Amino acid sequence: DDGLEETILQCAGKSYLAYESRLLNRREFLHSSSFYQTANAAAASSSSSTNNDNDDPTTNNKNNKKEYDLLTMSERKLAKLNYYQVLHRNLPMHSSTDDIRRAYHKACLKYHPDKTGRGEEDEVFLLVKAAFDTLSDPMKRRSYDSTVDFDESIPKEGVVLTDEEFYKEYGAAFERNMRFASFNDPARQQGNESNNNVHAFYDFWIHFDSWRDFTLKATEQTEHDVDSADCREEKRWMKQEIDRKVKKMKKDEMARVNSLVERAMGCDPRLKREKERLVMEKREREEMKRKVEVERAERERVERERVEAEMAKKKAADESKKKDAKIELLCDKLSVMELTSLNDVMGGPEAVEEGSNTSVCVEALAEVKQCAVETAAGAVRQSLQAIEQRNQARKEAADKARKAKLSKASSPWSKEELGALAKGVKKYPPGEQSEECIEKYNQVASSAAPSASSGVAAAATTVSSGTSNSSSGGGGDSKNTSENNDEETWTEEQDSLLQEMLRKYPADMGKNERWKSIAKGVPGRTKKECVQRFKAIREAVKKGKN
């Protein structure tokens, strides 16, 4: 997409070829390790003849030491030799299987019983044969290489070392333990390495994976020979004991490596410098944070002072306005003589002139203030009196309007009002709800004339009164007579209020709540009396329709 040309790169070089050799098992893993640098240099400097000895690391040259004569060595010296030295003094530990086989053939030509005449039980030949049997088997050789000629010591803890001493002691310790690494060497310790490489180095050793095998050593310590077991159960038991010992040795080995790493990390000058740098950076961050807090507190203080100054300025302006208002009130309410008197008490015009020897009388200020308070109180009293007078006038006007309405309700019906009532009776036939009928009658009457509502109420009163009288004259029982007598005592004002309450509280309200509210709006009447009065009006209206 970015227009760059794609190119195929082919892997090449010494490092890649070494990687491929180890991957294909063409070369031992530790073949190029610095642990065997001396042995590799010796092997590289061997002669380059055309016969099979060209690749033999045991070929004698000026750098190789003189070969051991095992026949002339004592048992004590023979016990100190490892299997590689038994086959050949210059045979390195990283030798290939072919190198070991060639060294064994040469040793057989020298130490075979047919050559020495010492018999089949010759200790030297048996030692050579045991060395070849062990080194020619990969598993046995791995276990043997795990214990032979290895210094397990690590530098002491708590010793103060210089940079040079640290690299010398701990570098050698890590170099020795690198012998058992399961994969490639990490970055070598150097004084000029970056922090990333240092952390990568210690990360490698923290997760160090060792191929070291303690089977041979555990077998020697437990003194169990699996091959000489009498039965399978005994053989199985011996293997379990050996495995248990191997696990314990492996655990101790990893603890030793971890101790080495911890001590190195505690003495490493590069980590110390990094720790000091981190402490310095943390101190700088804290100092920066403290400065930011100080600056923020200073800004808040300045802002708070600014707000307080603004509030004080606003308060002073408000007080000045109040003073000006008081002065204006004095000027408005006091007479000229009174103002002149106050002016003279405070010192007169000369007190405010520049360069005048006369000063303002401070004692007179209290008198002026008291005068202003009394004048303001008088103005408030006048305002309250004006409000009371206005309310009283409104109340009187409302009483006059109500009285005029009541007087108008007692006047005889006009032709327009009677026509509206007749239309309402025809429009709403019997069977409708009585409350709705009366409300609709009132609405029709209101639409017919301005005074229709009061006329309808008066007509309802007249009809109900007539009906009640006729029912009482017909010889009804004492209960009806008592109710009619109570109804006759209703005044026109009470009938009017009953009509207003019926309109105010519609029929969709609760029955009990509605009649309680209506009774409260009709002075001198109970809820029962209001209900009886309404029923009487309803009966009169029904009879009038019929």
Side-chain angles (χ1 to χ4, degrees):
D1 296 340
D2 51 4
L4 298 178
E5 183 180 358
E6 295 184 358
T7 303
I8 299 176
L9 299 178
Q10 185 175 3
C11 299
K14 181 179 179 181
S15 299
Y16 175 73
L17 295 177
Y19 166 75
E20 287 290 336
S21 298
R22 288 191 294 269
L23 187 64
L24 299 175
N25 294 326
R26 299 289 181 84
R27 178 186 295 184
E28 296 290 338
F29 176 77
L30 298 177
H31 183 77
S32 300
S33 176
S34 56
F35 181 76
Y36 301 102
Q37 184 176 2
T38 305
N40 291 338
S45 61
S46 60
S47 62
S48 56
S49 59
T50 58
N51 53 20
N52 293 334
D53 293 339
N54 291 341
D55 297 330
D56 188 0
T58 63
T59 302
N60 292 328
N61 53 48
K62 61 180 181 179
N63 293 326
N64 291 338
K65 297 180 181 180
K66 184 178 180 181
E67 176 62 26
Y68 291 127
D69 187 1
L70 303 181
L71 297 177
T72 60
M73 296 180 66
S74 64
E75 293 182 359
R76 183 176 62 84
K77 290 184 178 180
L78 286 175
K80 293 182 179 181
L81 298 178
N82 58 48
Y83 283 166
Y84 294 96
Q85 294 174 341
V86 168
L87 295 180
H88 196 280
R89 183 175 185 178
N90 297 316
L91 183 65
M93 292 183 66
H94 65 273
S95 300
S96 63
T97 305
D98 294 336
D99 295 337
I100 293 174
R101 187 179 294 108
R102 284 194 291 268
Y104 173 67
H105 290 164
K106 288 184 178 181
C108 287
L109 293 177
K110 187 175 181 181
Y111 302 114
H112 195 274
D114 295 339
K115 298 290 185 179
T116 60
R118 301 178 63 172
E120 295 291 337
E121 300 298 329
D122 184 17
E123 294 181 357
V124 174
F125 180 72
L126 292 178
L127 180 62
V128 172
K129 190 174 183 301
F132 177 73
D133 292 340
T134 300
L135 299 181
S136 60
D137 187 344
M139 298 302 297
K140 292 182 178 180
R141 182 181 180 183
R142 184 187 186 92
S143 180
Y144 179 78
D145 290 346
S146 300
T147 56
V148 64
D149 296 339
F150 179 66
D151 183 9
E152 296 184 352
S153 63
I154 59 177
K156 295 181 180 180
E157 185 178 7
V159 180
V160 180
L161 302 174
T162 61
D163 293 1
E164 184 177 355
E165 292 174 347
F166 169 78
Y167 293 123
K168 182 178 180 180
E169 292 193 17
Y170 282 93
F174 281 112
E175 194 71 30
R176 291 193 301 270
N177 287 273
M178 193 64 219
R179 166 180 170 179
F180 305 112
S182 297
F183 46 93
N184 203 2
D185 299 1
R188 295 286 301 278
Q189 281 189 331
Q190 295 179 3
N192 56 353
E193 286 184 350
S194 63
N195 292 332
N196 293 333
N197 291 337
V198 173
H199 289 293
F201 175 83
Y202 284 111
D203 185 70
F204 170 83
W205 283 102
I206 290 173
H207 303 90
F208 182 70
D209 186 13
S210 174
W211 56 263
R212 193 174 184 184
D213 187 5
F214 295 94
T215 304
L216 182 60
K217 189 173 182 181
T219 303
E220 293 176 355
Q221 291 185 3
T222 56
E223 298 180 355
H224 293 321
D225 187 2
V226 179
D227 296 333
S228 62
D230 296 335
C231 59
R232 290 182 297 176
E233 287 76 9
E234 184 180 5
K235 186 176 183 179
R236 186 182 303 109
W237 174 78
M238 289 181 178
K239 286 184 177 181
Q240 291 176 354
E241 291 293 322
I242 293 172
D243 292 341
R244 187 179 297 108
K245 190 67 175 178
V246 168
K247 289 181 180 179
K248 184 179 183 303
M249 291 181 174
K250 188 72 173 180
K251 185 177 180 180
D252 295 340
E253 170 69 7
M254 297 312 300
R256 185 186 63 82
V257 175
N258 292 334
S259 299
L260 173 63
V261 175
E262 291 176 359
R263 294 179 186 181
M265 293 180 68
C267 300
D268 197 330
R270 296 163 297 182
L271 295 182
K272 289 182 179 180
R273 288 192 294 267
E274 183 182 8
K275 185 177 181 180
E276 294 175 357
R277 179 181 60 82
L278 294 176
V279 171
M280 185 65 65
E281 291 179 354
K282 182 179 180 180
R283 188 179 298 115
E284 291 177 356
R285 288 195 300 270
E286 292 177 352
E287 183 68 19
M288 183 64 66
K289 184 178 180 180
R290 187 186 64 81
K291 290 182 179 179
V292 171
E293 292 292 334
V294 172
E295 293 177 356
R296 184 180 61 80
E298 181 66 18
R299 289 196 300 270
E300 291 179 354
R301 184 187 64 80
V302 173
E303 182 66 18
R304 184 170 58 254
E305 292 179 354
R306 184 186 65 80
V307 173
E308 291 177 354
E310 290 180 355
M311 293 180 64
K313 185 177 179 181
K314 184 178 179 181
K315 184 176 180 182
D318 294 340
E319 292 179 355
S320 178
K321 288 181 181 180
K322 290 180 180 179
K323 292 180 180 178
D324 294 341
K326 292 179 180 180
I327 294 173
E328 291 180 359
L329 181 63
L330 291 175
C331 295
D332 186 31
K333 299 298 181 180
L334 300 180
S335 63
V336 177
M337 295 180 64
E338 292 174 339
L339 292 174
T340 303
S341 176
L342 288 175
N343 189 19
D344 294 338
V345 170
M346 296 180 65
E350 295 81 4
V352 296
E353 292 181 356
E354 295 182 0
S356 176
N357 296 327
T358 304
S359 59
V360 178
C361 183
V362 179
E363 292 79 4
L365 292 176
E367 182 179 354
V368 174
K369 183 177 181 180
Q370 183 64 26
C371 181
V373 171
E374 293 176 356
T375 304
V380 171
R381 286 194 297 272
Q382 292 178 2
S383 300
L384 293 175
Q385 292 176 0
I387 293 172
E388 291 178 359
Q389 293 176 1
R390 185 170 64 253
N391 293 339
Q392 185 66 24
R394 290 178 179 176
K395 185 176 181 181
E396 292 176 358
D399 293 340
K400 289 180 180 180
R402 186 171 58 81
K403 290 179 180 180
K405 186 177 181 181
L406 293 176
S407 62
K408 188 174 182 180
S410 60
S411 60
W413 282 38
S414 63
K415 293 182 179 181
E416 290 80 2
E417 293 172 347
L418 293 174
L421 178 60
K423 291 179 181 179
V425 171
K426 292 180 181 180
K427 187 174 182 179
Y428 302 101
E432 298 252 354
Q433 293 292 333
S434 57
E435 297 89 343
E436 296 179 359
C437 293
I438 295 175
E439 290 176 2
K440 292 176 180 178
Y441 293 163
N442 293 330
Q443 292 175 3
V444 174
S446 298
S447 62
S451 61
S453 58
S454 59
V456 173
T461 305
T462 304
V463 174
S464 62
S465 300
T467 308
S468 301
N469 291 333
S470 61
S471 61
S472 62
D477 56 4
S478 61
K479 183 178 179 181
N480 293 333
T481 304
S482 175
E483 292 178 356
N484 294 334
N485 291 335
D486 292 339
E487 291 175 1
E488 290 177 356
T489 62
W490 279 68
T491 62
E492 295 178 358
E493 183 179 358
Q494 290 175 344
D495 287 334
S496 178
L497 293 175
L498 178 61
Q499 298 296 325
E500 290 181 3
M501 293 299 104
L502 289 172
R503 286 193 298 271
K504 184 176 181 181
Y505 301 103
D508 55 359
M509 292 178 59
K511 187 176 181 180
N512 189 27
E513 183 181 358
R514 183 192 182 203
W515 285 107
K516 282 183 179 180
S517 302
I518 292 174
K520 290 180 181 180
V522 182
R525 294 295 178 178
T526 62
K527 182 181 76 171
K528 182 177 180 181
E529 292 174 349
C530 292
V531 173
Q532 293 176 356
R533 182 63 175 171
F534 170 73
K535 289 180 179 180
I537 294 174
R538 184 180 60 186
E539 293 296 331
V541 172
K542 288 183 178 180
K543 290 180 180 181
K545 291 179 181 180
N546 295 332

